[in-house]
Amino acid sequence: MKPSTICLATALALSIGARGNTGSEDRAFWVDSMLRIVAPVVTNLEAGTLRANLPRREGNLTIPFSELEAFGRVMTGFAPWFELPDDDTPEGKLRAAWRPRLLKAIRNAVDPASPDFLVFAAKDPVRGRQPLVDAAFFAQGLLRARKGVWEKLDETTRRLTVDALVSSRVTKPGNNNWLLFAGEIEAFLLEVTGQCDMDRLRQGVDKFAHDWYVGEGYYSDGAHMAFDGYNSFVIHPMFYEIASVMAKHQIKDGASYLALEKKRLRRFADIQERMISPEGTFPMLGRSICYRFGTLQGLALAATLGPEFHPASDGAIRAAMTAVLRRQTVPRNFRPDGWLTVGFNGEQHGLAERYIGYGSVYLCTAFFLPLTLPPDAPFWTAPAEPWTCKAGWDGAPVPIDHRFVK
């Protein structure tokens, strides 16, 4: 990150208010943290140096696709921020500075003449299926930022982007959460072109709606239940977004799936909020724990969508998520050159599966979805409150936990 950018972000944090647990200060900290995380990916891709400078982890199986992993995952949480205007506030000036960088990064990602042209379709779709995953995260970011990013791209870049995403159809998804990756791409293509592969669009939501829901807001990941972060990393967000597009385009089952997912997401978000400890930690359970606070994307999405999607107060959710963010944006989670480390809270390669590398860990940016909300939204203006676990352990009144039965 350029020194001037660091200073601008710091100025934002200092200018918004006196120190304290205010919503404006929390927001400043979130923006500063997000920019610190995404800067190496976006600035290198903007300059055409991402392939040259992205660190590699020995033994990582997805090295040929690391650049798309990094940028696709950055897009899912960073791009939505640009739905807000480039106004005269410190944050608005930051958006004005970063928007052209992101647009240039997207152009370099999809332009075959760019040294950083990204791999959206592996030559071997059986052994090299990973691009489908991160093409979906890339499409997710664009779907979440239709006005602020997609419509700001020039016509050629939009055409190249559609071509890149269509090329991912060569990959057949696995019979699990990967069905939603294919569906997310088709949902975006339907939105911007009016056309899609209908089978790929709905195969995942059909399975998760009818066959793979196990109760209490949780889906199994295909035929088998795994208590890990994939309900949050993929299943709830992409199910909700695909169903939303289906409902918008009046595709059969879209409205009913959306209503169903709203109920299920509410329970899932309730559980996620209740699992944040008084110290701002959460359980290290299951695979892909190196995505860190990205495991809270389900709660972040619910908080962004509004109170009908979560039972906890806005002030409590913001306080809980801010506590988590402070625990994991510590120096040991960043390499000296600014890239994220591979680990949960430091460089911890023993926690990383073979598909985890220095690109994939950027899924943590999905945490920042509430920054899509304007600063005067209740999520940011509500007074901070103790979240459920903190209040309970402090002996304060807390609401009873009601089981979701459908």
Side-chain angles (χ1 to χ4, degrees):
M1 186 187 296
K2 297 179 181 179
S4 60
T5 306
I6 297 175
C7 292
L8 195 55
T10 303
L12 171 67
L14 294 176
S15 68
I16 289 182
R19 294 201 57 81
N21 204 23
T22 65
S24 57
E25 186 186 31
D26 285 348
R27 185 179 179 99
F29 173 65
W30 281 48
V31 171
D32 198 5
S33 299
M34 178 179 69
L35 294 179
R36 181 185 182 190
I37 289 168
V38 306
V41 178
V42 176
T43 57
N44 272 283
L45 187 52
E46 175 200 14
T49 56
L50 181 60
R51 181 164 283 110
N53 292 334
L54 179 65
R56 313 291 170 175
R57 174 178 172 241
E58 185 177 354
N60 176 20
L61 298 177
T62 62
I63 282 178
F65 319 116
S66 294
E67 297 82 17
L68 181 59
E69 284 185 311
F71 187 56
R73 294 166 192 232
V74 160
M75 282 287 292
T76 196
F78 185 45
W81 183 54
F82 293 94
E83 291 292 88
L84 298 178
D86 300 344
D87 53 31
D88 289 331
T89 64
E91 184 180 325
K93 291 176 181 178
L94 278 171
R95 269 191 299 276
W98 278 92
R99 194 187 304 270
R101 293 178 175 179
L102 182 61
L103 298 180
K104 180 63 182 301
I106 294 172
R107 176 57 181 261
N108 284 342
V110 299
D111 186 352
S114 164
D116 274 340
F117 177 55
L118 303 184
V119 179
F120 283 82
K123 293 181 179 178
D124 184 340
V126 176
R127 290 183 297 173
R129 298 187 302 155
Q130 183 64 32
L132 178 66
V133 174
D134 299 296
F137 287 128
F138 178 66
Q140 184 177 50
L142 292 172
L143 188 61
R144 291 170 169 176
R146 284 286 305 279
K147 294 180 179 179
V149 177
W150 175 252
E151 293 178 7
K152 302 293 185 183
L153 293 169
D154 62 82
E155 184 177 349
T156 299
T157 303
R158 290 199 297 268
R159 175 179 56 79
L160 291 171
T161 299
V162 169
D163 290 346
L165 291 172
V166 168
S167 74
S168 71
R169 289 174 177 165
V170 70
T171 303
K172 180 180 179 180
N175 196 35
N176 51 23
N177 73 86
W178 280 52
L179 294 173
L180 295 174
F181 293 135
E184 185 82 8
I185 293 169
E186 297 303 325
F188 172 72
L189 292 173
L190 178 60
E191 277 285 272
V192 302
T193 71
Q195 299 178 331
C196 72
D197 181 321
M198 191 60 66
D199 288 340
R200 288 173 76 91
L201 174 73
R202 65 176 305 142
Q203 189 174 10
V205 290
D206 286 343
K207 294 294 287 186
F208 281 100
H210 300 298
D211 299 337
W212 293 339
Y213 184 64
V214 296
E216 286 292 279
Y218 276 85
Y219 296 95
S220 64
D221 191 1
H224 303 287
M225 177 63 185
F227 201 74
D228 54 28
Y230 279 81
N231 267 266
S232 196
F233 297 143
V234 180
I235 299 169
H236 277 288
M238 291 193 178
F239 186 110
Y240 175 81
E241 288 156 356
I242 296 166
S244 296
V245 171
M246 290 173 63
K248 177 181 176 181
H249 290 266
Q250 298 182 326
I251 294 172
K252 182 179 181 292
D253 299 318
S256 61
Y257 285 178
L258 188 59
L260 193 66
E261 172 56 16
K262 178 179 176 179
K263 296 176 183 178
R264 294 172 177 179
L265 176 59
R266 180 182 172 88
R267 177 54 176 156
F268 181 75
D270 183 19
I271 292 173
Q272 284 216 305
E273 187 271 339
R274 287 173 176 270
M275 291 182 75
I276 299 175
S277 78
E279 299 77 27
T281 62
F282 56 89
M284 292 176 57
L285 293 172
R287 63 195 178 109
S288 302
I289 197 65
C290 294
Y291 299 158
R292 297 183 172 95
F293 44 78
T295 196
L296 295 179
Q297 182 181 190
L299 179 60
L301 175 62
T304 304
L305 292 173
E308 66 271 25
F309 286 85
H310 59 81
S313 71
D314 285 309
I317 295 176
R318 190 190 75 241
M321 293 182 70
T322 302
V324 171
L325 189 61
R326 292 191 183 280
R327 291 295 299 255
Q328 288 199 304
T329 50
V330 291
R332 63 174 168 267
N333 280 324
F334 297 87
R335 289 163 47 107
D337 53 9
W339 300 93
L340 288 175
T341 57
V342 170
F344 179 75
N345 205 12
E347 196 83 64
Q348 299 165 302
H349 288 223
L351 288 176
E353 293 85 356
R354 293 186 68 193
Y355 57 81
I356 300 291
Y358 284 100
S360 52
V361 293
Y362 281 90
L363 190 54
C364 67
T365 58
F367 176 95
F368 295 107
L369 273 177
L371 288 175
T372 308
L373 298 170
D376 60 356
F379 182 84
W380 296 109
T381 60
E385 298 179 24
W387 51 100
T388 303
C389 204
K390 180 172 175 54
W393 279 97
D394 287 345
V398 294
I400 194 170
D401 183 29
H402 285 289
R403 181 172 177 266
F404 183 73
V405 297
K406 293 184 179 180

